[in-house]
Amino acid sequence: MAAGDAAAGAQKVAVCAACHGANGTSAVNIYPNLAGQWAPYLESALKAYRAGERTGGMTAMMAPQAANLSDEDIADIAAFYSEQ
């Protein structure tokens, strides 16, 4: 997994913030908190959504969000949330 740039990630999370909160702390309990999660976990989850390998309740919402993210975008986003 690539080492992400948290500062770059901060610029890429606007869409994520709608559900997961501006700093990764969700105000609604159906959306998981991302703040403080391990970057490798977040990278793995986003890549699995992007590849269609992750299924479940939020797949219909997450797969389209992850579809257009590059590996660099994912690493940056993961770095940002892991540092919150």
Side-chain angles (χ1 to χ4, degrees):
M1 300 210 174
D5 178 342
Q11 304 303 311
K12 299 176 182 182
V13 297
V15 172
C16 309
C19 297
H20 296 287
N23 291 317
T25 302
S26 174
V28 181
N29 66 4
I30 63 168
Y31 303 119
N33 292 326
L34 302 180
Q37 290 284 354
W38 291 351
Y41 166 75
L42 294 171
E43 282 190 60
S44 176
L46 282 170
K47 287 178 179 179
Y49 278 122
R50 183 180 66 187
E53 298 168 349
R54 191 161 185 178
T55 60
M58 291 298 168
T59 300
M61 185 175 292
M62 286 299 303
Q65 298 302 324
N68 294 318
L69 296 174
S70 68
D71 285 349
E72 182 178 340
D73 292 335
I74 289 173
D76 293 345
I77 290 167
F80 171 77
Y81 281 125
S82 71
E83 291 184 5
Q84 301 307 300

